[in-house]
Amino acid sequence: MVRGLYTAYTGMANEQKRLDIISNNLANAATVGFKEDNSTSQSFDHMLTIKIRDNSEGNNNRAIGNMSMGVKLGEVYTNYGQGSLKETDNTYDMALEGNGFFNLSVTDKGGNTSTQYTRNGSFTMTKDGHIVDENGNYLMGEGGAIVVPTDAAEVVIDKNGAVYADNTYVDNIKITDFDNYDYLTKTGDTMYQALDGAVEKPSNALIQQGYTEQSNVNIISEMVEMISVTRAYEANQKIIKSVDQTLELAANSVGKV
Amino acid sequence: MMRSLWTAASGMTSQQTNVDIISNNLANINTTGYKKESAQFKSLLYQTIQDQSYDNNGNPKPSGIQVGLGVKNSAITSQYTEGTLSETGSDYDLAIDGKGFFMVQTADGGTAYTRNGSFQMAVGENGMVLATSDGNPVLDTNGQPIILDKSYNTSNIIIDESGNLCYPDANNNAKPIGIQIGVAQFNNPTGLSKAADSLLTETDASGSPLLETTGTTVGKYKIKQGFLEGSNVQAVDEMVNLIVAQRAYEMNSKIVKAADEMMQQANNLR
């Protein structure tokens, strides 16, 4: 029917999705190792409008110009910037300073083991000495899952990730970085999975024992964005209403003549 | 639309738990041997809302558009840093300077661990028994209750830094009487499970207790007689955490409001 109706509709639908992303950022404003998501919007492909069968033009078709029929989500990109560090003094809390991810060995219900990546460094220990995250996934070292002797009284992790139990070297914590973070997909629990085509590279991140990395959500910009989302939504709603009024005139008043 | 409503609601519920924990910390700010707790959060699952996404140059990106569905409480962890030691002058007030826990026998015969060293001498069947304020016997390094027969004047007992009970001999020199207060250490104290009355119990995550007598390496500690360990709760930290939690709650409620207003506008279309 009227093109503007559907254009404004795509605007409203797009603002809804943007609000979904903002609300997830704000809900995770206090989540350890969380990285904020931002979105971009893209216009639909341009369409060439052509004037046809107009007597005043001598019935010659003439191009009027391009127009776009609405908007859609272009991409969601994650800001992998450093979050602030908070001191916890727990032995197995680690924060990464710099680019890189901890490697976790995750076994699903079907018994398939895969490697997932996280910046959430709040770990604990099991009775057999494995260092695990809160879901029980093993933290990986250079030589497989890290196992510390259970009778060790003091476990020290230095900045380069070397784990010492009572001054005896155990293993190095494996930290992986990627060439292009676009090849990471989120799997929940602040974990990431590498997609086909991801290129690993050594990380230069330093480990801070006794600290956790806080989320890097900038709450002020999120609130401002939320205001702009609600207002843009409102403006699109106004467009639909005015198109509706125009249509009402067309249907009721014009038809009356 | 409903997505952001529920996402914000998940943020509000987890912040509520956060406030619960902060209030428990503040309520226990004067509890002897109390260790502060903190809430840990994790993001919920991610949903793919668009299979293909394009960067600004129109090139396809390897992953589609994912939107997260909120947050959950993943764990509540305790922080076993040392609290401040304050002098009480009472003979059987003990504090551990360093790592470790006193061992206490519970009513069901099991062993529990505590940093609360506010002990006293109680009358038992075979003499005086060193017990907690609830009457649970304190254990020595061999896991036995500490019982002093009638030949000892309990007010003259001195406890040295390693926890040995000493009694003055004829020349008034304190000599160990062969009983040492047991101090157990854990590889991962964060894994201990909390019971009521400042008692902790061993779990799979904490590992088994490490004792000096069993030959396993333990960190250095000192027992201080006449001192009690206060809680390690820092009022300022908790107040800052409370502000953060309250504001986070508020911001999530703003999202609920914004989502509600947007739904109202959609509703007013017709």
Side-chain angles (χ1 to χ4, degrees):
Chain A
M1 205 153 43
V2 178
R3 273 190 292 261
L5 199 61
Y6 296 101
T7 310
Y9 156 73
T10 62
M12 286 176 83
N14 185 47
E15 298 305 332
Q16 274 192 14
K17 288 175 185 161
R18 282 181 63 201
L19 187 73
D20 290 344
I21 291 159
I22 294 168
S23 57
N24 186 51
N25 283 342
L26 281 180
N28 285 291
T31 304
V32 170
F34 181 79
K35 299 293 168 202
E36 64 170 349
D37 288 329
N38 293 297
S39 59
T40 59
S41 303
Q42 283 174 1
S43 60
F44 281 177
D45 290 341
H46 288 284
M47 279 168 42
L48 187 64
T49 18
I50 297 173
K51 206 176 186 182
I52 53 167
R53 290 202 289 271
D54 186 350
N55 282 333
S56 61
E57 303 271 346
N59 281 340
N60 289 329
N61 293 351
R62 186 170 69 86
I64 301 173
N66 289 320
M67 63 191 274
S68 175
M69 306 305 287
V71 68
K72 63 178 180 197
L73 271 189
E75 59 175 327
V76 170
Y77 60 95
T78 307
N79 172 6
Y80 286 95
Q82 177 80 40
S84 56
L85 302 189
K86 184 178 168 189
E87 191 171 1
T88 64
D89 276 337
N90 281 338
T91 314
Y92 298 111
D93 277 354
M94 293 166 236
L96 288 176
E97 241 188 308
N99 296 331
F101 299 89
F102 293 112
N103 289 236
L104 293 174
S105 157
V106 180
T107 307
D108 65 11
K109 259 188 187 162
N112 307 312
T113 304
S114 62
T115 303
Q116 301 208 2
Y117 304 92
T118 187
R119 299 268 302 181
N120 175 359
S122 79
F123 297 108
T124 174
M125 198 196 72
T126 59
K127 67 170 172 184
D128 51 358
H130 281 101
I131 300 182
V132 293
D133 75 352
E134 287 133 357
N135 296 348
N137 302 316
Y138 293 155
L139 175 68
M140 302 302 283
E142 301 287 357
I146 293 179
V147 184
V148 290
T150 44
D151 56 356
E154 197 180 29
V155 173
V156 175
I157 298 153
D158 74 6
K159 287 201 165 189
N160 298 318
V163 183
Y164 296 92
D166 291 335
N167 296 325
T168 318
Y169 174 78
V170 178
D171 200 350
N172 244 61
I173 293 173
K174 191 175 175 190
I175 306 168
T176 311
D177 198 8
F178 293 92
D179 256 346
N180 186 353
Y181 290 148
D182 284 348
Y183 287 92
L184 291 179
T185 174
K186 301 182 190 77
T187 54
D189 292 335
T190 49
M191 291 194 291
Y192 305 92
Q193 207 162 18
L195 291 170
D196 290 341
V199 181
E200 288 186 16
K201 67 174 185 186
S203 162
N204 55 1
L206 298 177
I207 291 184
Q208 298 283 359
Q209 189 184 16
Y211 288 82
T212 51
E213 184 187 357
Q214 302 300 296
S215 104
N216 70 346
V217 174
N218 182 344
I219 49 173
I220 299 166
S221 71
E222 297 299 326
M223 292 307 280
V224 172
E225 204 144 314
M226 186 192 87
I227 294 172
S228 94
V229 163
T230 47
R231 291 301 175 201
Y233 191 82
E234 210 175 331
N236 279 304
Q237 186 248 17
K238 288 267 159 28
I239 295 284
I240 294 191
K241 277 197 115 165
S242 73
V243 171
D244 186 35
Q245 279 162 9
T246 318
L247 287 174
E248 193 191 354
L249 285 179
N252 298 329
S253 307
V254 178
K256 238 189 257 173
V257 176
Chain B
M1 178 60 60
M2 297 315 279
R3 215 162 15 215
S4 48
L5 264 182
W6 291 111
T7 306
S10 79
M12 289 175 80
T13 6
S14 356
Q15 290 306 331
Q16 219 170 315
T17 315
N18 199 5
V19 172
D20 290 348
I21 292 155
I22 294 166
S23 63
N24 186 46
N25 282 342
L26 284 173
N28 283 294
I29 197 162
N30 282 326
T31 305
T32 305
Y34 178 79
K35 298 297 170 200
K36 64 177 169 183
E37 296 173 327
S38 61
Q40 307 286 330
F41 305 105
K42 268 194 171 175
S43 61
L44 283 178
L45 65 146
Y46 277 75
Q47 192 181 10
T48 303
I49 54 171
Q50 200 170 303
D51 284 334
Q52 265 304 334
S53 65
Y54 300 90
D55 65 12
N56 287 337
N57 302 325
N59 303 317
K61 289 183 68 176
S63 66
I65 293 182
Q66 293 181 300
V67 63
L69 296 180
V71 67
K72 67 177 175 196
N73 285 104
S74 60
I76 295 164
T77 51
S78 299
Q79 295 180 18
Y80 286 91
T81 52
E82 201 173 314
T84 43
L85 302 186
S86 57
E87 194 168 358
T88 61
S90 177
D91 281 349
Y92 294 104
D93 278 353
L94 305 177
I96 301 173
D97 187 6
K99 288 178 176 176
F101 301 87
F102 294 113
M103 300 190 290
V104 171
Q105 196 176 60
T106 52
D108 58 5
T111 308
Y113 305 89
T114 185
R115 290 281 292 190
N116 181 351
S118 167
F119 300 140
Q120 60 204 19
M121 278 293 176
V123 184
E125 279 175 24
N126 306 317
M128 303 298 273
V129 180
L130 187 64
T132 66
S133 49
D134 295 322
N136 295 323
V138 179
L139 303 177
D140 65 6
T141 44
N142 300 319
Q144 299 301 317
I146 295 167
I147 300 168
L148 298 174
D149 57 36
K150 293 207 175 65
S151 61
Y152 294 104
N153 177 356
T154 53
S155 61
N156 289 342
I157 294 275
I158 291 168
I159 296 161
D160 71 6
E161 288 190 337
S162 341
N164 289 307
L165 269 62
C166 305
Y167 196 72
D169 62 4
N171 302 325
N172 221 12
N173 292 328
K175 286 275 152 52
I177 57 171
I179 298 176
Q180 193 182 359
I181 293 174
V183 170
Q185 297 187 339
F186 290 91
N187 195 328
N188 185 27
T190 325
L192 290 166
S193 144
K194 292 199 172 187
D197 301 328
S198 307
L199 294 178
L200 305 156
T201 50
E202 155 189 4
T203 65
D204 281 354
S206 67
S208 40
L210 310 170
L211 290 159
E212 231 166 1
T213 44
T214 56
T216 41
T217 44
V218 283
K220 284 213 166 57
Y221 65 87
K222 282 179 193 165
I223 289 184
K224 300 266 190 192
Q225 190 179 16
F227 286 85
L228 280 180
E229 183 187 2
S231 77
N232 67 347
V233 179
Q234 296 289 333
V236 184
D237 285 358
E238 296 304 321
M239 291 317 282
V240 172
N241 287 342
L242 186 63
I243 292 172
V244 170
Q246 197 189 348
R247 289 298 178 199
Y249 189 83
E250 211 174 327
M251 282 182 300
N252 280 297
S253 78
K254 284 265 160 46
I255 289 282
V256 173
K257 238 174 152 176
D260 179 40
E261 272 165 25
M262 282 163 73
M263 283 202 289
Q264 193 188 357
Q265 279 159 11
N267 214 9
N268 283 341
L269 274 173
R270 187 70 214 146

